[in-house]
Amino acid sequence: MRTAALLGSVCLLALPAMASAAGMVTRHEDGSIEVKSDVGDTVVFPKGTLGSLIEDAWANGGKKPFEGISTAVVTLNAGPRGAISGGLLPWQAAWEELSGAKLEVVLKPFNDLAPVIFNDIFTGTGAYDGFVPPMVFLGDMKDKLVVLNDRMCDPKFPPVFTADECQIADGAKRGLETLMPSMQPLFRWGADWYAVPWDADSHILYYRKDIIDDPKIQAQYKADTGKELRAPQSQQEMLEIGCYFNGKDPLGNGKKLYGFMQPGALNSQLFDWYKDIANPWVSVVDGAKDGFGQTFSFDPETMEPLVNNPGQVAALEWLKKAYACGPSDFASIDLGGHFNRFAQGEAVFSWSAGDIAALSQEKESKIQGKLGVMPIPGSTEVYNARDKKMVTIAAPPPAYNVLGASWSGEVSSLSKNPDATYALFAFLGSGPMRVWNVKWGFDGIDIGRKSDFLPPDGTASMDTYVAGGFDKGDAERVSKGIHDNLAGKPFEYFKVPGAAEYNLALEIAVQQTLTGQLTPQAALDGVAEQWKTITERLGADSQKEAYALSNGLK
C-alpha cells in the first residue's frame, strides 16, 4: 500500500486507531485522520487540516457534519482513471464516509460542460450544488456562484490559505504564499474568490532528452544540417529539429519516431494548443517600449478581434507544419491519446500540460528517466502592432503561460447545501491531498503550488516524488520546468463571458486548417467574424470591461 502524507511530513500508520465500519476512514489517537481512495492509496490529514466540522465529529464519535445531505457536482468525463474525473471519483466513497454527505458526480464531455452548467444556473434549475469546470468559464459563471472569501479562512473547513494569508483583507492579495503568483488570478474575479484552487495547468515543452543530448545523434545532426542539436531556443528551431527526426530511427532500435505528438480532435482543447504557439508571435510581454507589446485576443479599446492579424496567421501556418511532422491520424487524437502516446516514446517533442510529466513515470511508460522539460520557446518572428509588420528578434523570451483549464471547484449560488459542497472542494484542494495529486498521473491534477516544487523553488520532498514512482532526474526537471514557466510573466488567460463560444469557434477553425479544409488566413478571418457576432450579442461595452478586468488592464 502506498500512503501519502503532508509534503515533507511523516505518515502516522503505527498509531492505535479507530476505523469506521465502512473502512475508508481511520482516526488515529493523535487526532490525525487517514482517508483511503478506491485505488488503495491513503492520505493522512494531520490534526487541524480537515477543519473543525469534520474533526470534531470524528473525535466525539457523533453525527457526521453533513449527514442526511445530498450534493451533486458536475465535471469532465474522462472516466474513472482519466483526467479530472479521475481526481474526484477515487475519493467519492471516502468523502461520503468522512462527511456523511451523499455525493453524486455528474460527468460530461468537454463541449457539453458549458451548456449543461449554464442551463442549470441561468434558468434557475439548481439541479447541481457545485461544478469543477475550466476556469475560462468564470466570466460567464461568477454572478451565479458563491463568493468563497470567508469560507476559505473559516476554521470549520479544511484550510485553503495559510494563517498569515487569512490576515490579508484584500482578496486580490491573498494566496500569494500558497499559490504561484501567475496562477492566483485564475480563481478569482477582482478581489472575490469563486473557486477553490485544485488543478494548476500550464503548458510546457517536453522533449526526449535521451535523443537531444546524445553525442552521436548530435554529431549526425550537425553533419546533416550544419547546426547544433540542443534543446530548442525558438519555435523555428523546434520545428527544424522535430521535422528532421520525423520518420527517423535515431536510436537504432527499429522504431521510427514522429517529430511532434499533439492532439487534433475536437473536444481536445485544440484552441489552447494553438494559443501556446501563437501568443509569442503577436505579443512580447513588457515589450510595448519596442512597439509590439499587445493583448492577444482583442484590442482592449475597441474589442476588435486580433485573431486574424499577420502574427496569428503566421503562427497557424507554423502549427500546420508541425502537425505535418507528426502522426497522420492527428485529427482523431484526443487528450488521453496525446498524453499516452508521448509517454510510450512515439515522438521527440510535445507541448502539453503537467499530465505528461506524471504519466511518463507510470510503469507502462517508455520514457521514464529520459524526459526533458522546459518552457515553450518563443518565436523569432513577431508581429509589430505599432508598425503593422512582422519583425525578427534574435533571442525571443519563452512563451510563459498559465493556459489550460485549471479545473477547480465552484459552489452554485442555487445550492441548498453550500457548506457541504464547499467542504468537498476544500478537502480535494487541501495541502495533504497535493501529495496524492503529485503521485498519480491519471488524475489530471497538475502541480503548481509552491509546496509542489522541489527546493530551492518550493518545499516538496524528493522522497514524495520517488514514492510516487518518479525517476529522480525527471522529478528535478519537471519541478524546475513547470516552476520556471509559472515564475515568468504569463501571456493572456482568456476567461471573459462567452469564452466557451469564442474558443469553440477557434478550435473548429484550427482543425479545419490542420486538415487542409481552409487556409490559415481564411480560417482566422472566419473566426474574427464569429467573434464579432458573439461580442455584439453579449454587449461590446460589458465585454470590454470584462476583458480589461480579467487581464489586469483595469
Side-chain angles (χ1 to χ4, degrees), residues 155-211:
K156 294 188 302 186
F157 303 107
V160 174
F161 297 133
T162 66
D164 287 344
E165 287 173 317
C166 285
Q167 298 301 312
I168 300 172
D170 184 356
K173 296 179 180 178
R174 277 185 187 170
L176 296 175
E177 183 180 334
T178 299
L179 306 173
M180 293 293 288
S182 58
M183 294 296 304
Q184 190 251 26
L186 273 61
F187 310 106
R188 60 177 175 81
W189 194 272
D192 291 331
W193 288 75
Y194 292 96
V196 180
W198 189 32
D199 187 20
D201 275 329
S202 71
H203 293 169
I204 53 177
L205 179 66
Y206 298 97
Y207 64 92
R208 288 286 298 277
K209 186 175 173 63
D210 59 322
I211 294 172

Side-chain angles (χ1 to χ4, degrees), residues 325-347:
C325 293
S328 58
D329 64 341
F330 66 81
S332 65
I333 298 176
D334 60 10
L335 280 177
H338 152 62
F339 297 150
N340 291 323
R341 290 180 68 173
F342 188 78
Q344 287 299 304
E346 292 189 31

Side-chain angles (χ1 to χ4, degrees), residues 451-492:
S451 62
D452 297 336
F453 299 117
L454 294 168
D457 300 320
T459 58
S461 166
M462 177 61 79
D463 291 343
T464 297
Y465 281 88
V466 173
F470 264 82
D471 170 84
K472 286 186 177 181
D474 284 349
E476 289 172 350
R477 292 185 290 272
V478 166
S479 177
K480 179 173 173 52
I482 295 178
H483 173 272
D484 288 355
N485 182 47
L486 292 177
K489 186 173 181 180
F491 291 114
E492 171 186 301

Side-chain angles (χ1 to χ4, degrees), residues 314-373:
L316 188 51
E317 290 171 346
W318 184 100
L319 194 72
K320 186 174 182 180
K321 292 175 184 176
Y323 271 67
C325 293
S328 58
D329 64 341
F330 66 81
S332 65
I333 298 176
D334 60 10
L335 280 177
H338 152 62
F339 297 150
N340 291 323
R341 290 180 68 173
F342 188 78
Q344 287 299 304
E346 292 189 31
V348 176
F349 291 121
S350 181
W351 62 94
S352 189
D355 304 65
I356 283 180
L359 289 169
S360 67
Q361 307 305 306
E362 298 290 333
K363 62 182 180 180
E364 297 85 2
S365 170
K366 301 294 192 297
I367 60 172
Q368 186 177 37
K370 306 171 183 177
L371 197 62
V373 187

Side-chain angles (χ1 to χ4, degrees), residues 529-548:
E529 291 304 313
Q530 292 179 71
W531 282 17
K532 289 178 183 178
T533 300
I534 295 169
T535 299
E536 290 170 2
R537 188 182 76 249
L538 295 176
D541 289 341
S542 62
Q543 288 297 89
K544 176 181 175 180
E545 182 177 0
Y547 188 64

